[in-house]
């Protein structure tokens, strides 16, 4: 979900009870949970029931007092599709205080329903990809004293048409032969989908003024989302903005009944949503699970509550031997002006992926990196992931993600971006535990690694999507609401040699990489205009799911050395 305002972190923090692995230094900012802990009783969870748009159990919607008049149309917001970047006077200043949480409002006796009249913050900036047609979209007026009782009463909208792009004819499909025995490749599908937390929807209702109100009801959205997940039936799904109470009570039980194993990491602090990675039990087994918290005590740069989740999976195929697959899912900070934070969060994720995916020969197994990166294609952050390096000399923090046409974050990225105390090198690798005096010695011994405006990583990743529509050459869109329509969601992967999307310098041997067989097409502004943007009657998130299919080739049989 694209935020129209910035979220201030809460000082009264709590964590999710993730234990640090034995033998890992305190500099390790991650925590891991291995297979033997799977199925252990979950920690006591506080459920967040306090921000649902509509009163539970009511057959009819309860009409808020502020809806006793016609709903405002977009045409009244003359600034159009703008991001709320104008709340802070300086790029490195603290964001404004967030509106009181619903638990506080409950104590004050306030109504906890969604406010459809919340306005975008003042001083907003224009984002990239602001479709004019959304400026004048108006939801259906509600007469005084009336309110639709069912989503079925919503005006009928056509379904968004997406087609499957088959790329398998561009890949080598013939099975390999080893020792007179055929070795068949392993084909599997992957989805990445930001499903839009109901809590965040209610906090940012001004982003959804183009929507007919009943389609924003969780009772309408949840069946739609589950139906969509079941329809695509991906073998691996990376979900973002998964609200914890909905996950535990509805989403996880539904997915488990469909044959999925589910892993989840909630955001730190008081945030009620998080990331989930689920996979079909008949196709993969869990080797290890590694939740990541980007908030780091004592490091001012890393003071946000975003998280990531990495799982190491073993493909199940009795016909051949297959390498593990490392699947990473994340939702990076939204704030367009804090590219420094985004890059530091990404560095933490890449360091943990490099550790988890490492093979005995010091190479890495195939990697899938999915999520909402809150960065547009061809931005510096995107290039860093895809090109494995970023020269950032003179780069302002507001230009890192490319979210705004005229970014206000004018502070230059510092060198280095993140402090050495984080325990992660400028190559996005873990460093051994060191004391303050050791750090000073290392800085004197290796000055270039601390003074050069450059970062890199060892993963060779390619985007599964081209980001432009083949027919019209218009930009693909993965997220759309009343203020913007852009691409921020991605599936990156380790491309095998000969893969259709692989760059020559970023490909690996077939048995240690993936070949893209196909993908579910994305759409442009014209298609979204026909269905009244997102969310709509049929698509219940402000993001579209990305769906791909990959091929993993079997490993070469190891030759055993004879010992004399």
């Amino acid at each position: 979900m694209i935020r129209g305002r910035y979220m201030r972190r809460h000082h009264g923090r709590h964590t999710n009870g993730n234990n640090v692995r034995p033998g890992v230094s305190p500099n390790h900012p991650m925590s891991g949970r291995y297979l033997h802990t799977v199925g252990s009783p979950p920690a006591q969870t506080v459920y967040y029931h306090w921000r649902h748009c509509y009163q539970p159990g009511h057959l009819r919607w309860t009409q808020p007092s502020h809806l006793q008049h016609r709903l405002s149309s977009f045409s009244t917001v003359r600034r159009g599709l703008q991001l709320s970047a104008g709340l802070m006077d300086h790029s490195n200043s603290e964001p404004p205080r967030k509106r009181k949480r619903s638990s506080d409002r409950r104590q004050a006796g306030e109504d906890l329903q969604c406010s459809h009249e919340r306005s975008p913050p003042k001083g907003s900036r224009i984002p990239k990809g602001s479709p004019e047609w959304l400026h004048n979209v108006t939801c259906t007026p509600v007469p005084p004293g009336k309110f639709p009782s069912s989503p079925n009463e919503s005006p009928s909208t056509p379904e968004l048409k997406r087609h499957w792009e088959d790329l398998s004819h561009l890949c080598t499909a013939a099975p390999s032969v080893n020792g007179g025995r055929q070795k068949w490749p392993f084909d599997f599908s992957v989805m990445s989908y930001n499903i839009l937390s109901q809590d965040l929807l209610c906090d940012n209702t001004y982003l959804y003024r183009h929507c007919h109100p009943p389609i924003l009801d969780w009772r309408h959205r949840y069946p739609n989302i589950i139906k969509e997940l079941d329809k695509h039936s991906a073998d691996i799904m990376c979900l973002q903005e998964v609200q914890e109470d909905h996950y535990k009570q509805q989403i996880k039980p539904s997915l488990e009944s469909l044959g999925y194993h589910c892993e989840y990491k909630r955001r730190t602090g008081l945030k009620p949503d998080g990331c989930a990675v689920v996979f079909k039990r008949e196709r993969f087994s869990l080797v290890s699970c590694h939740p990541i918290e980007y908030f780091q005590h004592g490091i001012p740069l890393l003071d946000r509550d975003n998280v990531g989740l990495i799982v190491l999976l073993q493909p199940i195929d009795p016909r051949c031997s297959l390498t593990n697959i490392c699947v990473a899912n994340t939702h990076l900070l939204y704030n367009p002006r804090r590219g420094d934070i985004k890059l530091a969060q990404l560095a933490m994720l890449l360091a943990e992926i490099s550790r988890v995916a490492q093979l005995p020969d010091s190479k890495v197994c195939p990697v899938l990196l999915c999520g909402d990166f809150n960065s547009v294609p061809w931005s510096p952050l995107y290039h860093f992931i895809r090109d494995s390096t970023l020269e950032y000399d003179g780069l302002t923090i507001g230009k890192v993600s490319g979210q705004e046409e005229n970014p206000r974050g004018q502070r230059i990225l510092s060198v280095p971006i993140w402090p050495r105390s984080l325990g992660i090198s400028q190559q996005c690798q873990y460093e051994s535990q060191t004391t303050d005096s050791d750090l000073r010695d290392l800085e004197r011994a290796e000055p270039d690694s601390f003074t050069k405006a450059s970062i890199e990583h060892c993963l060779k990743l390619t985007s599964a999507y081209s980001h432009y529509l083949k027919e019209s050459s218009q930009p693909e869109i993965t997220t759309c609401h009343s203020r913007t329509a852009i691409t921020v969601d991605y599936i990156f992967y380790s491309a095998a040699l000969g893969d259709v999307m692989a760059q020559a310098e970023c490909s690996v041997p077939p048995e240690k990489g993936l070949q893209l067989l196909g993908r579910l097409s994305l759409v442009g502004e014209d298609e979204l205009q026909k269905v009244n943007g997102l969310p709509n009657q049929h698509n219940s998130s402000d993001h579209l799911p990305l769906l791909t299919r990959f091929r993993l080739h079997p490993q070469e049989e190891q030759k055993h050395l004879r010992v004399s």
Side-chain angles (χ1 to χ4, degrees):
M1 173 182 178
I2 300 293
R3 297 291 159 263
R5 58 186 174 78
Y6 303 118
M7 308 298 190
R8 182 180 178 87
R9 70 181 177 88
H10 293 264
H11 295 283
R13 317 189 57 81
H14 65 275
T15 60
N16 295 330
N18 298 313
N19 296 322
V20 177
R21 298 187 309 277
V24 177
S25 73
N27 275 354
H28 247 288
M30 319 303 176
S31 59
R33 181 164 58 77
Y34 288 85
L35 186 59
H36 68 272
T37 65
V38 173
S40 58
Q44 183 178 5
T45 305
V46 179
Y47 292 101
Y48 292 80
H49 294 288
W50 27 262
R51 281 191 183 165
H52 292 210
C53 276
Y54 310 103
Q55 296 290 350
H58 288 194
L59 294 178
R60 295 186 62 83
W61 289 25
T62 304
Q63 183 183 9
S65 59
H66 60 271
L67 286 177
Q68 298 295 329
H69 52 79
R70 291 167 63 95
L71 295 179
S72 300
S73 69
F74 290 146
S75 58
T76 62
V77 185
R78 300 315 304 168
R79 288 189 298 271
L81 293 178
Q82 300 166 346
L83 292 174
S84 327
L87 286 174
M88 297 191 295
D89 295 327
H90 303 287
S91 60
N92 57 352
S93 62
E94 277 294 322
R97 289 191 176 274
K98 187 177 178 181
R99 187 177 289 107
K100 281 187 178 180
R101 300 201 68 83
S102 300
S103 56
D104 299 331
R105 297 199 300 273
R106 179 185 289 118
Q107 294 174 3
E110 296 180 22
D111 192 346
L112 302 186
Q113 300 185 59
C114 283
S115 170
H116 293 279
E117 287 299 305
R118 286 181 183 169
S119 299
K122 296 180 180 179
S124 299
R125 304 290 287 184
I126 299 176
K128 286 191 175 180
S130 301
E132 281 294 327
W133 60 269
L134 273 176
H135 293 200
N136 299 313
V137 173
T138 308
C139 61
T140 305
V142 181
K146 300 283 186 179
F147 207 75
S149 60
S150 168
N152 294 330
E153 298 179 16
S154 302
S156 179
T157 57
E159 291 193 41
L160 191 62
K161 293 182 180 180
R162 302 176 64 186
H163 63 274
W164 183 256
E165 298 178 356
D166 186 7
L167 305 173
S168 60
H169 62 285
L170 301 174
C171 300
T172 54
S176 60
V177 179
N178 192 301
R181 186 177 60 175
Q182 282 190 337
K183 301 180 71 175
W184 294 91
F186 182 83
D187 296 350
F188 64 100
S189 54
V190 178
M191 174 188 283
S192 182
Y193 191 13
N194 182 325
I195 65 172
L196 177 57
S197 159
Q198 190 71 15
D199 178 86
L200 293 173
L201 183 156
C202 291
D203 263 356
N204 298 274
T205 50
Y206 65 87
L207 298 177
Y208 310 104
R209 291 177 177 172
H210 63 292
C211 301
H212 193 62
I215 70 169
L216 301 178
D217 184 0
W218 179 246
R219 294 173 300 176
H220 173 74
R221 295 184 58 233
Y222 167 68
N224 261 11
I225 291 170
I226 291 298
K227 178 182 176 181
E228 191 166 30
L229 298 181
D230 186 28
K231 171 187 174 182
H232 294 306
S233 190
D235 297 313
I236 301 172
M237 294 192 290
C238 294
L239 308 177
Q240 304 89 42
E241 286 196 25
V242 182
Q243 193 164 306
E244 187 178 42
D245 58 336
H246 292 158
Y247 170 76
K248 289 183 176 292
Q249 297 172 5
Q250 297 173 296
I251 297 172
K252 182 180 180 182
S254 295
L255 292 178
E256 287 180 336
S257 70
L258 295 174
Y260 287 94
H261 176 95
C262 303
E263 293 292 331
Y264 179 76
K265 172 61 181 175
R266 202 197 75 191
R267 286 203 282 170
T268 50
L270 298 177
K271 311 298 184 181
D273 67 285
C275 295
V277 178
V278 305
F279 57 89
K280 287 186 177 178
R281 293 188 295 268
E282 65 180 14
R283 306 230 59 203
F284 296 94
S285 61
L286 180 65
V287 178
S288 59
C289 179
H290 311 266
I292 304 171
E293 297 180 357
Y294 297 138
F295 176 86
Q296 296 294 300
H297 288 280
I299 300 180
L301 178 66
L302 290 162
D303 62 349
R304 309 304 163 95
D305 292 312
N306 308 83
V307 296
L309 182 62
I310 300 173
V311 296
L312 190 62
L313 302 180
Q314 173 62 54
I316 299 175
D317 190 339
R319 299 173 300 179
C320 59
S321 174
L322 296 161
T323 185
N324 292 341
I325 299 174
C326 180
V327 181
N329 181 23
T330 192
H331 189 178
L332 297 183
L333 178 72
Y334 162 72
N335 191 334
R337 294 191 220 168
R338 295 310 302 268
D340 51 346
I341 297 178
K342 294 176 195 270
L343 288 172
Q345 291 179 344
L346 182 58
M348 292 178 66
L349 181 66
L350 294 173
E352 183 71 348
I353 292 173
S354 299
R355 187 190 67 81
V356 172
Q358 188 167 14
L359 297 170
D361 61 1
S362 296
K363 296 181 180 180
V364 295
C365 68
V367 171
L368 285 161
L369 174 55
C370 307
D372 179 345
F373 292 81
N374 276 314
S375 301
V376 302
W378 321 120
S379 64
L381 186 142
Y382 173 91
H383 274 296
F384 175 52
I385 296 174
R386 187 172 177 269
D387 300 339
S388 301
T389 184
L390 176 65
E391 303 287 340
Y392 61 88
D393 185 30
L395 180 64
T396 60
I397 60 175
K399 292 184 178 180
V400 169
S401 65
Q403 291 164 278
E404 294 180 335
E405 291 284 359
N406 300 297
R408 296 181 69 179
Q410 297 301 319
R411 181 164 58 83
I412 303 295
L413 281 170
S414 62
V415 182
I417 298 173
W418 55 85
R420 186 68 183 271
S421 59
L422 182 60
I424 294 176
S425 71
Q426 302 303 290
Q427 290 73 43
C428 296
Q429 299 279 344
Y430 285 128
E431 295 180 325
S432 58
Q433 183 179 0
T434 54
T435 64
D436 290 341
S437 60
D438 292 332
L439 288 176
R440 288 191 292 270
D441 292 340
L442 284 170
E443 289 172 6
R444 285 192 293 268
E446 304 174 20
D448 288 346
S449 64
F450 297 98
T451 61
K452 187 178 179 181
S454 174
I455 53 176
E456 58 188 76
H457 65 84
C458 66
L459 306 175
K460 298 177 179 179
L461 300 173
T462 300
S463 174
Y465 282 83
S466 60
H467 314 309
Y468 289 96
L469 300 176
K470 184 177 180 181
E471 299 80 9
S472 64
S473 298
Q474 294 298 309
E476 294 175 336
I477 292 172
T478 69
T479 181
C480 173
H481 51 64
S482 67
R483 308 197 66 172
T484 191
I486 55 176
T487 286
V488 295
D489 306 279
Y490 303 93
I491 296 177
F492 295 102
Y493 66 102
S494 303
L497 202 61
D499 177 75
V500 63
M501 299 294 288
Q503 307 166 80
E505 68 276 11
C506 292
S507 55
V508 296
E511 69 276 8
K512 293 183 179 178
L514 303 172
Q515 287 185 323
L516 181 65
L517 299 179
R519 61 197 175 201
L520 185 62
S521 68
L522 286 167
V523 298
E525 287 183 16
D526 292 342
E527 293 88 344
L528 286 169
Q529 182 176 1
K530 294 174 183 177
V531 299
N532 196 41
L534 299 173
N536 56 51
Q537 185 178 359
H538 307 288
N539 306 95
S540 286
S541 174
D542 56 355
H543 291 247
L544 293 173
L546 308 185
L547 182 64
T548 54
R549 189 163 187 82
F550 292 103
R551 169 163 293 164
L552 175 65
H553 287 273
Q555 297 183 89
E556 294 293 332
E557 291 185 3
Q558 298 293 322
K559 295 181 180 180
H560 298 285
L561 297 176
R562 301 176 67 180
V563 180
S564 56

